[in-house]
Structure formats: C-alpha cells, structure tokens
Amino acid sequence: MKKDSEIRVRMAPSPTGFFHLGSARTALYNWLFARHNQGKFILRVEDTDVQRSSKEMIQTILDGLGWLGLNWDEGPYFQSERLAIYKKYVQQLIDKGYAYYCYCRPEDLAREREAALKNKQSWKYDRRCLNLTPEQKKEKERANHPKAVRFLVPDHPVVFYDLIHKEIKRDFADIEDFIILRQNGIPTYNLACAVDDYEMGITHVIRAVEHITNTPKQILLYEALNFSKPEFAHLPLILGEDRKKLSKRHGAVSLMAYKEKGFIPEAMVNFLALLGWSPGNDKEIMSIKEIIQRFSLKRINPANAIFDIQKLEWMNGQYIYRMSDGELLESLKPFLIKFKFITPAELDKKREWILRVCGAIKKRLKVLADIDKAGRYFFVEDFEYEPRALEKHLHKETIEIVKEFSRIMETITDFDGAHIEESLRGFVKEKNIPARNLIHPLRVFTTGKEGGPGLFLTLELIGKERCLKRIKKIIKNYEEKNG
RNA sequence: GGCCCCAUCGUCUAGCGGUUAGGACAUCACUCUUUCAAGGUGGAGACACGGGUUCGAUUCCCGUUGGGGCCGCCA
C-alpha cells in the first residue's frame, strides 16, 4: 500500500475559522512538495474542538482547496471519527507512566494563570495531581470527579532539526505537563496530531511557525509512544500590513472572498507560491507545472512576509491579460450575470460580441469584478457619467460638433471601427479641427468615461443605435439644464 | 513575565566571503497612443546597530535593538 520511500504530507486545518490566505499557502506548499516528489497529499480535518468546529468551515476548506486546484490523494479524514484510536494511545501512555490523571478544575487553573500573567509572572502547571497521595486519588475516583489526562514531561531537553530553521532546542523546564485528553474524553491537538501523523505515515510535517512551540511536545509524545519521527518544516507567517498575523480584521476573511473579487486561481497560486519561496531566478509568472518542478523546501525564506495586495492585483492582471478571449469569457460569466449585464440565455446568443468586448477590455482588468466599472457601458444603459469627464467635455461647442457628426453617424451603414474612423477623419478634416476635439467628447457622451479601449472599436461594440441614443440623451439633458 | 522564531529597497525577494548589492510590485519621469490601460526606456530607493573571525564581511559567530509567534481541557 505505502511504499517505504514515499513522501507523504498532509494539510491539517481546523474547521474553527475561515480557510484564509495563510492556510491556503500552507496547503499549497504541502501540495507542491508532494507533487514535486511524486508523493501523497493527505487532507485531515482537525475537528477535536467540538464547540467551535462547524460544517460551514469544513466547506470553506474544501471550497478553497478545490478553487486553487489542490487535489488531495487521501482523506478527508476527520479526527472526530478517530477518537477510539487516540484513546488507545492515551491509555498506553498512562499504563507506561508517561501520563497521569488531573482532577483540577479548568476554571481554577485559568484563574491562577491569568493572575500570574497579569503580574508579569510566568505560570506552569505545578503537577499537583501527580503528587496526590493514593488516598486522595481514591477519594477523587470514588467521588467520580471529572478528570483529564496530562502528559508527564520528562526532564531532558528536546532538540530537533527543522528543515527551514535548522536546529531548535527547547528546555524541558519550559514545557508544562500539557493535557492530552480532556475531561470530555476528546484528545487535544498535540496528542491527536502526533498520533495521526504517525498512523498516516506522514514523512514531512509542513506547517506554520506558530506551531513551532508545539513540535517539542509532539516529539516527546513520539518518543514515549515509540513512534518514528517525521521531518519538520515550519513555514514563516503571512502578516497583514500592520505586521500582525493575518486575521479577520484584515478584511479578506475567507479565501473565497478573493474568488468573489475576481482573482484567478492560477494567479493566486503563483502569488502565494512566491510569498516565502523563490525559484532562485528572476522569473515571477510561472505555470503550475513549472512551480512544481522547481519547488523545494530549501528555498523557503525563514522570515515572515507581509501580504501585498497590490502585487497580487498586478499578477492577476497579468494572468487576465494572457488569457485568450474565450478563457476570459468563461471566467467572466459569473460576474456578467451577477452584475445583471446579461442573462444566462443571452450568453450564447451574443457570444461572438462578448468575446470581442473581452478582447477590448482585457488589458484594463486587474480583477474580474473590475468589469463592473470598466465595461459596464458595453452591456447596459445605467452606467455613470464621470463628473470630471462631463465637466471637461460637455460644452456648447463640443455639443455642436458631436451633434453634427452624429448626423453623419446615422448614415454609416456598416457601423464598424474602420468605417467610423474613416468618416470621422473625413469630417474633422473638412471642419479643420483636430480629431481629438471630436474623439474625446464622443467617448464621454457614449461611455461616460475619459478612458477606455480605442474609440472606434468602442463605438462599434456599443452599436449605432445605442450610441446615437446616448448622445441624444446627454445633449438633451444638458440643454434642458442650461436653457 | 517566560520561551521560541526572524532581520537586504515601502513590499515580495536574489545573494550562499571579494558584486557598480540583481529582479518584481508600488512610486517618479520619459516614450508609444485619439484617451485610459497594457507595453518600452530610465530614475529614486535596502544590507538595523555594535563587537569579533578574516587580507577582506550583506554573507560566518556573539551581543544589542527591532519585529513576529507561542505560553488554553483552541488549533
């Protein structure tokens, strides 16, 4: 089933919060490592916190991985379904004297801990339950007192080699006898994680540095349980602009929020891959195949990285720009429908036309949702006229010129870019005015904007009737207001 | 308060003892263009500090400072 040399990694998210950029990158690096080494990528949901875990969060994890294309080879396993396995190992630890029952009340300990921290004192469990006399223990048992299980931390330092951070030491005095089994019979993170990583044959534990203080605890469990140890690699964190760990207050909560804004999954993957890792050359836009080929843990930068959305947007724009018109249309469809630019039924009928619109605005989109502002006027009539643009180009003189030219427009039978340009150039030559004096007002009258794709193509795509209607309407409005 | 991790332009990074410290985003010029964008060209912009080691440190070691993380019967 499992080859001895096979690389096996896992993504082990907890469904207590959104699947965000940080989790996504951890997943990506695990996935890249597995794919690079022809290994296995396993999905394991760490839902041992019953109160806070939810179906919704599990769904965001699945959605996020799916959106990024990070397919898994095994799982999803759910820790909540593996309780018997953990209990077996906990019992083993108790039997061998590596763990003991703790009858303390969580509230009492929490109070003590808070008080200590408030006084800037460090606090560690004092093993009071380990030191209970046999009589005291019997009494607790007789009273059916709730009990948790604590791991008895041995008095020798823990040293391990991290693939990114090199050697890491931790003194036993700095590790308290941590709980491995709660009063409710459900194991805690460290126990479940260590047991599962062993049981699932994980060869490389790749996770965020916030777990680096857990690793010595898990190593102690490995040793007590006589498990062979995996390799460890602790990834740097992704920080918000405030240099703090990414969290809800940084706006983009779920990874799926980026999908909704119109980021392309390929761009997201490319960007995330480069946030903390570099291929060693100057290439930034890379296909997933290329990233897999070049990926290595050795080239991960140990320093935390600040998330820069501007670079993500740039990269996304690059991906959009490099798409074919057909690909762009596919990606854009949900947005066109969401913004009510078009009905699903029209999508097919107007396909050729939409493809041309896609080609026209491709260079102008950073995220797909930009179509709302940048391309609205192609699709619907309720677009906005930019005040600045009107101020600049909506005047008596320009109106006269546009009026005159629109009469010529009406006579153009083949209303395409080339013909529009031809008649416009002829018109301005005859009038002896610079082309821009007509081009700019014309654009503003028909699109409400100062910028956009080439005017002649724009007019063609909007179509003769709609162009003339818009021109009439804006002029009428102006004249009503200004006598 | 304790422990741990980290340190090159504003941001992401290359560098693995000798480089005019390279690239990308952002920024600023110029250019192309009917406009905006995209593109092209160029500019400004960094080795946190102090000690060592060395003929020579951005690079190796130590310390300081700064930043981050953890200290839950959360993960």
Side-chain angles (χ1 to χ4, degrees):
Chain A
M1 181 178 145
K2 166 193 147 196
K3 282 175 277 165
D4 283 351
S5 59
E6 187 180 72
I7 300 263
R8 292 169 65 84
V9 295
R10 86 298 196 278
M11 173 62 191
S14 150
T16 54
F18 285 107
F19 187 72
H20 53 82
L21 279 182
S23 354
R25 193 193 53 168
T26 302
L28 173 63
Y29 282 23
N30 272 284
W31 183 84
L32 286 171
F33 187 70
R35 294 293 168 261
H36 177 88
N37 293 295
Q38 280 101 33
K40 292 280 190 290
F41 176 60
I42 295 153
L43 177 59
R44 181 175 80 219
V45 178
E46 310 219 314
D47 54 352
T48 51
D49 185 344
V50 201
Q51 274 91 42
R52 264 171 289 201
S53 294
S54 74
K55 283 239 160 50
E56 287 72 23
M57 292 308 155
I58 293 173
Q59 198 52 48
T60 74
I61 294 163
L62 267 25
D63 289 347
L65 291 173
W67 182 56
L68 293 178
L70 308 183
N71 57 319
W72 55 92
D73 306 301
E74 282 179 33
Y77 296 110
F78 293 89
Q79 291 190 324
S80 57
E81 294 169 3
R82 300 166 55 81
L83 300 181
I85 300 170
Y86 311 124
K87 274 195 175 159
K88 183 183 87 188
Y89 283 109
V90 169
Q91 193 55 51
Q92 204 173 305
L93 287 170
I94 295 170
D95 293 346
K96 287 197 206 155
Y98 286 119
Y100 60 92
Y101 289 113
C102 174
Y103 304 93
C104 297
R105 291 167 25 130
E107 314 90 78
D108 294 343
L109 298 181
R111 203 177 311 118
E112 286 178 38
R113 187 165 33 231
E114 270 165 44
L117 248 35
K118 210 172 162 184
N119 293 322
K120 303 262 182 203
Q121 303 274 299
S122 58
W123 189 88
K124 201 175 116 181
Y125 182 65
D126 60 5
R127 293 187 165 167
R128 70 194 71 158
C129 286
L130 178 67
N131 301 321
L132 252 31
T133 64
E135 280 71 38
Q136 288 173 309
K137 277 184 200 165
K138 256 183 216 157
E139 206 181 298
K140 296 273 187 196
E141 289 295 332
R142 226 183 348 252
N144 217 351
H145 199 288
K147 61 186 177 188
V149 178
R150 278 185 194 273
F151 182 71
L152 179 59
V153 173
D155 50 357
H156 63 77
V158 183
V159 182
F160 70 99
Y161 187 85
D162 184 280
L163 264 15
I164 295 169
H165 298 280
K166 307 277 165 58
E167 192 178 271
I168 293 173
K169 281 187 215 154
R170 189 102 186 272
D171 195 67
F172 66 90
D174 299 322
I175 309 174
E176 77 167 357
D177 288 350
F178 52 96
I179 302 271
I180 53 177
L181 193 75
R182 300 172 169 97
Q183 283 180 352
N184 66 6
I186 296 173
T188 58
Y189 165 72
N190 281 305
L191 190 277
C193 183
V195 166
D196 277 345
D197 284 339
Y198 170 74
E199 286 265 323
M200 295 175 186
I202 301 301
T203 57
H204 298 255
V205 172
I206 304 168
R207 60 171 46 140
V209 260
E210 55 194 323
H211 285 297
I212 210 164
T213 46
N214 284 319
T215 303
K217 297 181 188 175
Q218 293 177 20
I219 285 176
L220 290 174
L221 288 170
Y222 274 89
E223 288 171 352
L225 258 6
N226 216 351
F227 290 166
S228 54
K229 276 172 259 178
E231 302 280 347
F232 292 96
H234 289 91
L235 304 174
L237 258 24
I238 300 179
L239 271 26
E241 276 179 271
D242 58 358
R243 296 174 186 274
K244 294 268 191 285
K245 203 166 77 163
L246 231 40
S247 68
K248 289 184 199 82
R249 68 179 175 284
H250 294 97
V253 201
S254 160
L255 214 226
M256 299 321 273
Y258 291 93
K259 179 189 180 187
E260 276 151 38
K261 278 186 205 156
F263 285 95
I264 308 293
E266 289 82 0
M268 203 72 203
V269 163
N270 193 157
F271 174 79
L272 250 21
L274 254 24
L275 201 58
W277 170 82
S278 95
N281 57 23
D282 286 336
K283 197 155 182 208
E284 301 232 318
I285 307 281
M286 286 179 285
S287 70
I288 188 63
K289 211 174 141 191
E290 224 172 333
I291 297 172
I292 290 171
Q293 210 170 70
R294 290 183 161 275
F295 188 78
S296 108
L297 295 176
K298 287 198 189 80
R299 297 203 58 87
I300 290 176
N301 185 345
N304 292 341
I306 295 168
F307 170 57
D308 178 14
I309 190 142
Q310 284 193 114
K311 184 144 185 178
L312 207 211
E313 282 173 347
W314 165 78
M315 191 169 273
N316 202 62
Q318 290 291 315
Y319 271 83
I320 291 177
Y321 177 48
R322 288 161 201 232
M323 282 177 164
S324 68
D325 295 347
E327 286 167 332
L328 180 56
L329 172 53
E330 277 312 305
S331 304
L332 227 35
K333 270 181 185 173
F335 293 88
L336 296 177
I337 291 167
K338 181 173 132 196
F339 295 138
K340 297 197 163 47
F341 286 178
I342 204 147
T343 64
E346 286 172 313
L347 227 33
D348 260 358
K349 251 187 283 168
K350 297 189 175 175
R351 185 180 164 83
E352 287 310 309
W353 174 75
I354 304 171
L355 279 174
R356 299 190 64 205
V357 172
C358 285
I361 53 163
K362 204 189 278 183
K363 288 199 208 66
R364 274 155 270 259
L365 303 180
K366 279 202 163 92
V367 294
L368 297 170
D370 284 346
I371 187 81
D372 185 21
K373 290 234 159 64
R376 184 171 204 92
Y377 56 78
F378 283 116
F379 298 94
V380 292
E381 298 305 308
D382 68 338
F383 57 90
E384 287 198 358
Y385 283 85
E386 290 171 359
R388 215 178 73 107
L390 290 180
E391 212 174 294
K392 235 164 138 180
H393 297 288
L394 187 63
H395 301 300
K396 269 217 161 64
E397 315 82 69
T398 55
I399 284 173
E400 283 317 307
I401 296 165
V402 172
K403 257 186 182 170
E404 211 172 314
F405 181 65
S406 64
R407 281 194 284 275
I408 293 175
M409 276 170 73
E410 278 182 75
T411 67
I412 302 175
T413 42
D414 293 323
F415 198 76
D416 58 43
H419 284 96
I420 300 166
E421 174 157 18
E422 195 188 323
S423 49
L424 185 139
R425 299 272 179 213
F427 174 79
V428 294
K429 198 171 176 189
E430 203 175 291
K431 292 295 237 176
N432 200 23
I433 53 167
R436 60 178 64 220
N437 286 15
L438 177 55
I439 284 175
H440 294 291
L442 214 43
R443 176 188 296 284
V444 172
F445 290 11
T446 53
T447 71
K449 290 184 177 302
E450 286 189 275
L455 178 76
F456 308 114
L457 174 62
T458 300
L459 295 178
E460 177 190 336
L461 290 173
I462 294 171
K464 186 165 144 183
E465 304 309 316
R466 290 158 81 207
C467 282
L468 291 169
K469 238 168 88 184
R470 289 177 188 182
I471 291 169
K472 270 184 200 138
K473 189 176 159 197
I474 191 90
I475 291 177
K476 194 180 154 210
N477 277 353
Y478 177 86
E479 287 176 341
E480 276 173 6
K481 261 189 213 153
N482 297 274

